[in-house]
Amino acid sequence: MYLLNRKQRHAVNYTWMIISLLLVAFLPFLLFVGLYIKSVLLIHDYSLVDLIFSKTWKPASGQFGFYPFIVGSIWVTLIAMLITAPICLLTAIYVTQYTKKYILRIMHPAIDILAGLPSVVYGLWGILVIVPFISRYLGPWLDIKTMGYSILAASFVLSIMIIPFVLNILIEIFRAIPMELKEAALSLGATQWQTIKHVLVKKALPGIIAAFGFGLARAFGETMAVLMVVGNVVRLPKSVFDPGYTLPALIANNYGEMLSIPKYDAALMFAALLLLAVSLFFNLVMHFFIVRFNKY
Amino acid sequence: MDQNTKIEIRDLNVFAGKTQILKNINIDIPKNKITVILGPSGCGKTTLLKCLNRLTDLYPELKVSGKIMIDDNNILAAKEDIYKLRQQMGLLSQRPYPLPMTIYNNISYALKLRGIRNRRETHKLVMHYLQQANLWDEIRTRLREPASRLSIGQQQRLCLARGLAVNPEIILADEPTSALDPISSQFIEETFVKLKHDYTIVLVTHVLRQAKRIADNVVFMYLGDVIEQGSVEEVFGNPKMEKTKLYLGGTFN
Ligand SMILES: Nc1ncnc2c1ncn2[C@@H]1O[C@H](COP(=O)(O)OP(=O)(O)OP(=O)(O)O)[C@@H](O)[C@H]1O
Ligand SMILES: [Mg+2]
């Protein structure tokens, strides 16, 4: 026997659905408000433009310029995406369109394992392999002095980290395209490459953008792996071989320490607020493109 | 090869691993006629059509042997120019798969693959093929819309127009009306009857009445074998084989 009759049960379920929906919809908003309240002290005393575009970071003397961190984050993320996007797209096309099925069956578990590894592992691997590679081989080869701990090292590690993640999504997207669409294009006399270029990629475009968007968001927010190889030097990087600092690394390195400095914790909250704002911005842009390309 | 025969299939065998999907198929498909392929589900009708335009190449697990002569050219032996070869045939599948483009570009893409790039000519031909597929009047103001916005029946006619746009000699249709409403089905049927003066049509269908209405020639298949073939009067009026009688009588399908 039920405690409630059908109509009442329906009402209860319905209410719960609405509550969960509101909760999910308002979570980002709540985060935003929370962070804003915590950082309002800083925003009040300095102008927003100053905080974002000032280059001097001297918390002890009350100078909070986030520009180096923002630039560091953007560089690291964009270079990581520049490496990731073509590799993932071409690999996904290759394994779904050109190879025998069993290759995919072998690759899939490997990709899953890679996608699930903790980021510390990637960070350590970066310190052991990428950093020495840059300082000992790539730098000297290009005649550039570098310690190895650099924007480039962080981008490499990040891309290695998000490639399995993005690749997984892309493979699923290409596999979901019906065989008949491919047959339709081929039956018109298109070559396999024409079919891929003009039909399959176009069909998959919203999904491809979404996959890149997820990768971007992950790269931008990634803390540990980047922090371990980026050098953590507060300075505007002049080249990708210079060390840098990112917003997540700033928060992770300093929260809980040095909080005796006035407004320091407000500054870290502001950094989190920036992260959130940029993530939301990425999301909006991504959705715009998905809607734009989803009409086919 | 007989003057009136367009496609001559000889000793066609298709294996998927150890299972044989098509067994020693021999069929003559006459020129400018509608040849209907009948048979219960899973008997190999779709596979047969895929052999005709070499879409079997897409499935490495399928091993195809035998001869398919189209105008004295064994297409199974063709090594290059499979693309040209596929353009001899327009394909219409069970459900419509419009390309992810506008309505107009669905046709103009086929034209481009055929080598037509001139804009005026493209324009003229897009209109021509849409008219041929009985779609032009409905969508003449919507040419720049995504093809996926059309109804299923309209999409299927768009796919027919697209198939005609490669300027084929043969039309391969795999249950083209099975997802359509009666009116759209009738449109397609009428179009086929009109088109057979210029094209050779191979049609797979499960609808016996449709076969009776428009077929000139009938091929009946069962579990990968051709059981019986002949003119529609012969096969429907006086079937020789027991299985054909049972199938046409509706005892199994
Ligand atoms: N690529 C393939 N690999 C293995 N088996 C296949 C493959 N393609 C088709 N088959 C098998 O061949 C048989 C014939 O399939 P086919 O699609 O040609 O049947 P059909 O006559 O078109 O049936 P339906 O009327 O249901 O469309 C089926 O048993 C199917 O499972
Ligand atoms: Mg079939």
Side-chain angles (χ1 to χ4, degrees):
Chain A
M1 285 307 287
Y2 289 108
L3 222 56
L4 306 169
N5 68 27
R6 259 177 78 157
K7 208 166 160 191
Q8 285 165 327
R9 264 185 288 142
H10 179 260
V12 169
N13 286 339
Y14 192 73
T15 319
W16 269 114
M17 281 194 282
I18 294 287
I19 291 176
S20 342
L21 174 72
L22 289 180
L23 211 65
V24 173
F26 275 103
L27 224 48
F29 183 71
L30 288 178
L31 270 171
F32 218 99
V33 171
L35 289 174
Y36 181 79
I37 292 173
K38 284 290 199 173
S39 54
V40 73
L41 205 67
L42 197 71
I43 301 172
H44 248 259
D45 293 359
Y46 304 84
S47 82
L48 209 55
V49 176
D50 268 355
L51 286 173
I52 294 177
F53 290 105
S54 151
K55 298 185 185 84
T56 331
W57 179 260
K58 285 195 180 118
S61 52
Q63 285 178 295
F64 296 98
F66 285 88
Y67 195 62
F69 303 98
I70 295 172
V71 169
S73 276
I74 290 177
W75 275 51
V76 166
T77 311
L78 285 187
I79 296 169
M81 282 316 288
L82 279 182
I83 301 170
T84 304
I87 292 181
C88 286
L89 191 57
L90 291 177
T91 310
I93 289 174
Y94 185 69
V95 296
T96 55
Q97 308 299 322
Y98 285 97
T99 60
K100 297 227 164 72
K101 279 181 194 134
Y102 73 89
I103 303 238
L104 195 56
R105 273 205 297 276
I106 297 170
M107 270 185 73
H108 234 285
I111 298 174
D112 280 341
I113 291 170
L114 285 178
L117 284 184
S119 51
V120 176
V121 177
Y122 285 97
L124 273 179
W125 179 80
I127 292 176
L128 291 176
V129 178
I130 296 292
V131 170
F133 169 73
I134 291 176
S135 66
R136 275 188 228 148
Y137 300 102
L138 195 58
W141 185 62
L142 294 170
D143 222 358
I144 293 169
K145 255 182 109 80
T146 169
M147 330 181 286
Y149 291 92
S150 57
I151 300 280
L152 191 64
S155 304
F156 272 148
V157 172
L158 260 186
S159 52
I160 302 287
M161 202 177 135
I162 56 175
I163 278 173
F165 173 75
V166 175
L167 188 57
N168 241 347
I169 308 178
L170 285 184
I171 287 177
E172 285 314 315
I173 286 167
F174 275 100
R175 285 214 304 184
I177 298 177
M179 198 66 186
E180 286 88 345
L181 186 64
K182 206 164 139 186
E183 290 180 357
L186 288 171
S187 78
L188 300 176
T191 61
Q192 184 163 13
W193 180 241
Q194 284 171 326
T195 303
I196 290 167
K197 202 168 63 173
H198 300 141
V199 178
L200 301 189
V201 167
K202 207 158 172 214
K203 182 83 184 171
L205 203 52
I208 294 173
I209 291 167
F212 288 169
F214 287 133
L216 191 78
R218 257 196 94 163
F220 191 74
E222 174 53 34
T223 313
M224 205 56 200
V226 172
L227 176 159
M228 289 165 80
V229 297
V230 78
N232 301 326
V233 174
V234 189
R235 197 175 59 196
L236 266 188
K238 288 195 194 63
S239 85
V240 293
F241 290 94
D242 281 348
Y245 218 141
T246 63
L247 285 168
L250 167 70
I251 303 170
N253 272 337
N254 297 302
Y255 196 78
E257 297 171 20
M258 304 208 279
L259 289 186
S260 52
I261 298 172
K263 301 201 191 105
Y264 203 94
D265 70 327
L268 295 184
M269 291 301 167
F270 183 71
L273 194 63
L274 280 177
L275 266 178
L276 188 64
V278 175
S279 298
L280 286 181
F281 175 73
F282 280 156
N283 253 290
L284 284 179
V285 172
M286 189 173 99
H287 274 276
F288 169 78
F289 278 115
I290 291 175
V291 170
R292 170 92 177 61
F293 289 116
N294 211 4
K295 56 182 185 184
Y296 296 112
Chain B
M1 200 163 144
D2 186 352
Q3 266 297 301
N4 296 320
T5 306
K6 181 74 187 172
I7 309 172
E8 198 177 84
I9 303 173
R10 289 292 173 266
D11 304 321
L12 178 68
N13 284 292
V14 176
F15 284 89
K18 288 213 169 58
T19 52
Q20 191 166 8
I21 301 175
L22 293 179
K23 302 166 188 165
N24 243 342
I25 304 283
N26 288 285
I27 303 176
D28 289 325
I29 292 170
K31 208 176 200 153
N32 294 353
K33 293 267 180 344
I34 298 180
T35 299
V36 166
I37 300 176
L38 291 174
S41 182
C43 70
K45 306 180 295 294
T46 300
T47 310
L48 178 62
L49 283 196
K50 281 186 184 163
C51 290
L52 291 180
N53 64 358
R54 290 278 297 262
L55 280 180
T56 40
D57 291 9
L58 257 71
Y59 303 85
E61 68 272 21
L62 296 182
K63 296 277 168 284
V64 183
S65 64
K67 268 208 255 179
I68 297 179
M69 307 295 291
I70 296 182
D71 298 334
D72 297 313
N73 176 22
N74 181 9
I75 61 154
L76 289 185
K79 285 272 182 295
E80 316 100 49
D81 258 356
I82 294 163
Y83 315 108
K84 273 261 153 47
L85 193 151
R86 288 194 181 124
Q87 285 179 329
Q88 289 178 31
M89 290 163 252
L91 177 72
L92 203 53
S93 57
Q94 193 159 355
R95 273 187 295 140
Y97 285 92
L99 304 177
M101 308 168 181
T102 61
I103 296 171
Y104 185 92
N105 286 351
N106 259 270
I107 313 288
S108 70
Y109 186 63
L111 294 172
K112 208 186 281 174
L113 290 173
R114 192 177 129 188
I116 295 172
R117 283 161 193 280
N118 178 304
R119 279 184 98 184
R120 290 253 306 279
E121 200 181 350
T122 303
H123 232 72
K124 227 175 61 198
L125 286 174
V126 168
M127 181 170 148
H128 169 72
Y129 289 117
L130 286 172
Q131 279 169 340
Q132 231 179 357
N134 227 332
L135 190 60
W136 174 256
D137 294 330
E138 283 164 64
I139 56 149
R140 54 189 306 171
T141 58
R142 303 172 54 188
L143 294 173
R144 299 292 167 188
E145 278 181 34
S148 55
R149 283 209 205 130
L150 295 174
S151 77
I152 298 291
Q154 289 171 328
Q155 284 181 21
Q156 190 63 309
R157 276 177 279 149
L158 180 68
C159 290
L160 176 61
R162 185 182 68 189
L164 296 176
V166 296
N167 199 22
E169 293 152 22
I170 300 164
I171 295 171
L172 306 174
D174 193 356
E175 299 179 49
T177 60
S178 63
L180 305 188
D181 63 289
I183 305 283
S184 305
S185 304
Q186 201 188 337
F187 262 139
I188 297 268
E189 277 183 31
E190 284 167 2
T191 312
F192 276 176
V193 174
K194 264 187 247 160
L195 289 175
K196 78 172 176 185
H197 299 291
D198 301 316
Y199 303 89
T200 301
I201 299 176
V202 183
L203 169 72
V204 171
T205 182
H206 279 294
V207 188
L208 293 179
R209 271 179 301 167
Q210 182 174 57
K212 235 186 224 164
R213 275 196 297 268
I214 64 174
D216 299 301
N217 234 22
V218 177
V219 177
F220 174 63
M221 291 177 62
Y222 183 72
L223 291 179
D225 279 309
V226 170
I227 303 291
E228 190 162 350
Q229 56 178 316
S231 72
V232 64
E233 293 84 10
E234 279 167 20
V235 177
F236 272 85
N238 184 21
K240 293 185 194 67
M241 310 299 282
E242 199 53 36
K243 287 213 179 70
T244 321
K245 279 182 203 159
L246 288 175
Y247 183 77
L248 296 179
T251 319
F252 64 85
N253 54 48

